[in-house]
Amino acid sequence: MSIFSKFPRTFWVANTIELFERWAWYGFFMLFANYLTGSSDMGGLEFTQSQKGLIMGVGTGILYFLPVLTGAIADRYGYKKVLALAFVIYTSAFILLPMFSSFTGVFLMYLYLALGAALFKPVISATIAKTTTEETSSIGFGIFYMMVNIGAFFGPMVTLLFKGSSQMIFYISAGIIALNFILLMFYTEPDRDESKAQGSLWEAFSVIFRNMVSIFKDAKFLIFLLIVAGFWTMYNQLFFTLPVFISQWVDTSSLFYFFDKYIPFISANYSPAPGVLDAEFITNMDALYIIAFQIIVSSIVMKMKPLKSMMSGFLVCSIGMSLTLVSQNVVFTLVAILIFALGEMAGSPKITEYIGRIAPADKKALYMGYSFIPVFLGNVFAGFISGNVYQAMSDKVTITERFAAERMLTIPEGLSTNAYFEEVARQVSLTPRELTNYLWDVYNPSGMWVVILAIGVAAAACLFVYDRVTSKL
């Protein structure tokens, strides 16, 4: 326990701030895909999957691109001031976002929210780095990532309790973020490099862009980042595609009745209708698995070379994610999410470790700063896969409309997507569950798993070739 006493107060304040920030972020983000595409009678906006993919892909991608610039802003004007600005934007964005229902309005408000997150990210990471030493950094960042996963798990678990009002989901996230204004009173500005505060902000940006050009000249590093973008493309389907797929296709009744018998609190609070569990509750098991098994997995892969661990992790992760889209059986889905989580735990942390190893000694901070590139690209590509590709192959709304057109059914206009589906089922003398099963068998929406598996396996294979080639250099 003596090592914990070596962390300054600001370290613990920063970790608590991170916990609340991740709580607020995942509290809405895990529910965001179904909010954008869900039926209007359930509080959804009924956007198309393509529109959802564009909002989540481009918006979240920009979130991970901007920190290279917002980090310079923090260095110049101070961490505490930038954190305060981030919380103001965060809070106001969460309050304003549910007031918009048009595609353009929601997209712009999500970009505004992403700006707040982009201001926050580099500051909190730098604070952890500056409040740890060589002796305490390993356990310090371990504590930090534990806070991330605790927030990622409990955020959706809380907001799902208030899913009856879609506005409440955002208001709860706003309230959680607002708690950080109190914590900011106990935040002490860590030592900053005062030289970075000299000159104009535009000069600082010009240095950043010059550094970016120099990074692009390192072919080895650039190829690695592009390969890892494939991993993030596959990984982000956890948030972009899986909640929608479960909501549209997976039969969660067996799990619902299990909880109804043994843990009725869950069936009472995480169910949109009798016999159905919230899709986000199922998806959120990924965070629970990480909390339970991260230390075990980390100890197993600790002595593995980063590339070997990444290859194994990418492959297992892609198998798990593709399997989540194969079956309508919820137990099968839970097992697939566990496989995905094991791969995630083995591969994802090693990315940062490898970048630290291959970076030139005098440019480690620079290279680590540009590790955002694959995350940025992965979000943009993931948006396309979960948008255009999912809509063409697996979207239940699109498939139902195709089925209705083929049967030449006459459906009244102005119906919500749920009411539309129920009307189609009524006209063909099937229950909604029977129609879902029929569409599953005839139109094969599970074919999406091939796309996800191909992306993940391609990333692992490219990493294998990369390892073979670079090891000879």
Side-chain angles (χ1 to χ4, degrees), residues 293-308:
F293 300 118
Q294 180 68 74
I295 295 176
I296 297 173
V297 174
S298 295
S299 64
I300 293 172
V301 303
M302 182 172 57
K303 295 182 180 179
M304 292 177 65
K305 292 181 179 180
L307 285 178
K308 295 290 192 298

Side-chain angles (χ1 to χ4, degrees), residues 7-235:
F7 294 110
R9 184 183 71 177
T10 297
F11 170 84
W12 298 110
V13 172
N15 272 282
T16 309
I17 287 174
E18 173 71 9
L19 170 64
F20 286 138
E21 188 272 344
R22 290 291 83 186
W23 186 310
W25 177 265
Y26 283 107
F28 101 93
F29 193 66
M30 185 66 81
L31 285 65
F32 198 42
N34 274 326
Y35 170 73
L36 294 175
T37 60
S39 181
S40 58
D41 56 2
M42 300 293 289
L45 299 181
E46 296 195 0
F47 290 171
T48 66
Q49 300 297 332
S50 296
Q51 289 175 317
K52 173 210 71 179
L54 189 61
I55 291 173
M56 296 184 70
V58 174
T60 313
I62 289 174
L63 185 163
Y64 282 99
F65 181 84
L66 286 179
V68 69
L69 301 177
T70 56
I73 295 174
D75 284 330
R76 177 167 181 79
Y77 295 106
Y79 291 178
K80 195 167 187 175
K81 291 180 181 177
V82 171
L83 282 176
L85 176 61
F87 298 152
V88 168
I89 294 175
Y90 249 141
T91 306
S92 57
F94 278 132
I95 293 173
L96 292 171
L97 214 161
M99 298 181 184
F100 293 82
S101 57
S102 69
F103 171 76
T104 302
V106 173
F107 197 0
L108 291 176
M109 285 310 306
Y110 185 59
L111 291 177
Y112 176 58
L113 177 65
L115 174 61
L119 286 166
F120 174 84
K121 277 187 174 297
V123 176
I124 208 69
S125 298
T127 300
I128 299 300
K130 289 178 179 293
T131 53
T132 55
T133 63
E134 187 172 338
E135 177 190 2
T136 62
S137 62
S138 180
I139 189 155
F141 275 96
I143 294 170
F144 180 70
Y145 289 123
M146 182 178 69
M147 293 295 184
V148 170
N149 285 296
I150 291 174
F153 175 73
F154 283 104
M157 297 300 284
V158 172
T159 51
L160 278 171
L161 296 174
F162 300 90
K163 61 185 177 295
S165 168
S166 57
Q167 289 184 332
M168 280 299 296
I169 294 170
F170 296 95
Y171 295 160
I172 290 170
S173 288
I176 295 295
I177 278 290
L179 293 175
N180 281 334
F181 285 111
I182 300 173
L183 289 169
L184 204 56
M185 298 169 60
F186 303 94
Y187 178 91
T188 303
E189 187 86 19
D191 294 331
R192 290 185 293 122
D193 185 351
E194 293 298 329
S195 63
K196 293 183 178 181
Q198 304 302 317
S200 69
L201 187 59
W202 296 114
E203 289 174 342
F205 285 166
S206 67
V207 171
I208 289 171
F209 287 119
R210 285 198 300 272
N211 288 336
M212 189 179 296
V213 172
S214 70
I215 286 291
F216 288 159
K217 292 179 180 179
D218 186 339
K220 176 182 176 181
F221 183 52
L222 189 59
I223 291 171
F224 172 76
L225 294 182
L226 291 174
I227 292 172
V228 173
F231 165 76
W232 289 116
T233 301
M234 176 270 301
Y235 169 85

